[in-house]
Amino acid sequence: MATSAFFLTKTFYLHSLSKSTLSISFPSTIPLNKFNSFSLKASKMDDSEIKEVKEESVNNNNNNNNKNNNKFEKKIFVAGATGSTGKRIVEQLLAKGFSVKAGVRDIQKAKSTFSDNPALQIVKTDVTEGADKLAEAISDDSEAVICATGFQRSWDPLAPWKVDYYGTVNLVEACRKRGIKRFILISSILVNGAAMGQLLNPAYIFLNVFGLVLVAKLQAENYIRKSGINYTIIRPGGLKNDPPSGNIVMEPEDTLSGGSISRDQVAQVAVEALNCEEASYKVVEIIATPQAPQRSFQELFSSIKQK
């Protein structure tokens, strides 16, 4: 029993510490290499055939333009972008072709964290400074917000409330000011531990020693749910920096009281939730186990019913 409590405590202690528009324009005319290819064929074609080849080339160009621009129309704003989970979210968004606006408190840290990428914009952001300043940072070129913030240990007993509650509320209000309709929050399992009968769970006790952080997170969740914004609240188990070692298990809210998951998988769930309609207006809890079957994200999110 003591060994189990130590494992849970260690796992959730790690969890508690966590925390442009690129405009792709393709030329409206056919590139030079296309003209060279076209000119070689032209001598053997009549006028109608030449016209058909030219139109096909232009149409293919436009189709590629539209296909690529679908992801680059607006940015995804990531709050807490240099955190252990936040930076993985940024990296996965970029890898999938999204434009990203990384909201960070320390610009120099962000520059050393991320490689140069034309699809990445870094902006100074502090979620505790209020909705107006956040709205300025988010601006009109963002279409969704992912919140991966988390308080850092300090002598300030109110730090969890300033970041995990008021900071999240400020982000939601900033979204309202900008007309942003999509909000994804990285929260934690056991936030509603009291209602689950988990008051004596060592992890629940340990985490709440730090300024009642789980209570603060739960209040932030409740605010989001009442805001009218299209939300996905992701409650991971104990966060691991190791690469994934099992398949994702996704359960409804207030179900899981233990377990762990790689931060890479948490980031993956957050990114996939952006384009998965089944993720809308849902609270999901996630861990990973080697025994779990591999399922698509559509299957995972579809298995969770809205409350």
Side-chain angles (χ1 to χ4, degrees):
M1 181 66 181
T3 302
S4 175
F6 172 78
F7 173 76
L8 283 169
T9 300
K10 181 178 179 182
T11 300
F12 280 83
Y13 174 71
L14 289 173
H15 178 69
S16 69
L17 297 183
S18 66
K19 314 255 176 272
S20 40
T21 298
L22 254 196
S23 142
I24 297 199
S25 60
F26 291 83
S28 58
T29 56
I30 304 174
L32 183 59
N33 62 338
K34 295 289 185 182
F35 273 118
N36 291 338
S37 174
F38 167 70
S39 62
L40 290 173
K41 296 177 181 178
S43 61
K44 299 180 180 181
M45 297 180 182
D46 59 29
D47 288 344
S48 61
E49 290 176 315
I50 292 173
K51 182 179 180 182
E52 182 178 346
V53 171
K54 182 177 178 180
E55 286 180 348
E56 181 180 355
S57 178
V58 172
N59 287 337
N60 287 337
N61 223 15
N62 288 336
N63 287 338
N64 289 334
N65 184 19
N66 292 334
K67 182 178 179 181
N68 284 284
N69 274 336
N70 284 339
K71 287 185 178 178
F72 287 93
E73 287 177 355
K74 293 214 173 181
K75 303 180 182 73
I76 308 301
F77 185 92
V78 180
T82 54
S84 298
T85 302
K87 67 181 180 182
R88 289 167 167 84
I89 292 173
V90 171
E91 289 165 354
Q92 291 195 29
L93 284 169
L94 293 172
K96 284 186 169 291
F98 287 95
S99 294
V100 180
K101 184 176 287 189
V104 302
R105 290 187 300 170
D106 188 335
I107 296 290
Q108 292 307 314
K109 179 182 178 181
K111 288 181 177 180
S112 64
T113 299
F114 301 113
S115 302
D116 289 339
N117 190 317
L120 175 64
Q121 179 185 359
I122 298 171
V123 293
K124 187 172 179 59
T125 307
D126 187 336
V127 296
T128 66
E129 290 184 345
D132 289 338
K133 284 191 175 182
L134 283 171
E136 291 179 11
I138 293 170
S139 73
D140 291 328
D141 60 355
S142 299
E143 66 176 348
V145 169
I146 300 178
C147 178
T149 57
F151 86 101
Q152 296 180 341
R153 282 194 302 168
S154 69
W155 294 108
D156 183 359
L158 296 178
W161 289 88
K162 291 177 180 178
V163 176
D164 291 284
Y165 175 61
Y166 289 108
T168 304
V169 169
N170 288 337
L171 275 173
V172 172
E173 290 305 311
C175 286
R176 282 178 162 174
K177 290 176 181 292
R178 291 298 183 187
I180 294 172
K181 306 298 184 183
R182 193 75 176 94
F183 193 96
I184 296 173
L185 174 70
I186 308 299
S187 184
S188 171
I189 64 170
L190 282 175
V191 293
N192 204 20
M196 295 170 61
Q198 294 292 320
L199 283 173
L200 298 182
N201 185 314
Y204 184 79
I205 295 171
F206 185 79
L207 283 174
N208 276 320
V209 166
F210 297 98
L212 298 176
V213 62
L214 292 180
V215 179
K217 287 179 179 292
L218 180 62
Q219 295 305 311
E221 287 188 11
N222 291 338
Y223 192 91
I224 293 169
R225 295 169 80 155
K226 295 175 182 177
S227 69
I229 200 168
N230 181 352
Y231 65 85
T232 303
I233 296 171
I234 300 167
R235 296 177 177 176
L239 295 171
K240 300 188 299 183
N241 293 322
D242 303 327
S245 58
N247 293 321
I248 295 172
V249 175
M250 185 176 289
E251 297 290 347
E253 60 185 291
D254 303 341
T255 300
L256 299 175
S257 58
S260 60
I261 188 168
S262 167
R263 293 182 189 274
D264 294 312
Q265 289 170 304
V266 177
Q268 191 177 12
V269 173
V271 172
E272 293 294 334
L274 284 171
N275 290 327
C276 186
E277 186 177 347
E278 290 79 7
S280 296
Y281 301 101
K282 289 183 179 178
V283 180
V284 300
E285 299 187 343
I286 55 172
I287 58 171
T289 67
Q291 297 79 20
Q294 187 172 9
R295 303 170 68 188
S296 71
F297 283 98
Q298 184 175 7
E299 290 177 310
L300 288 168
F301 282 116
S302 295
S303 69
I304 308 300
K305 304 304 179 185
Q306 293 182 3
K307 277 197 173 182

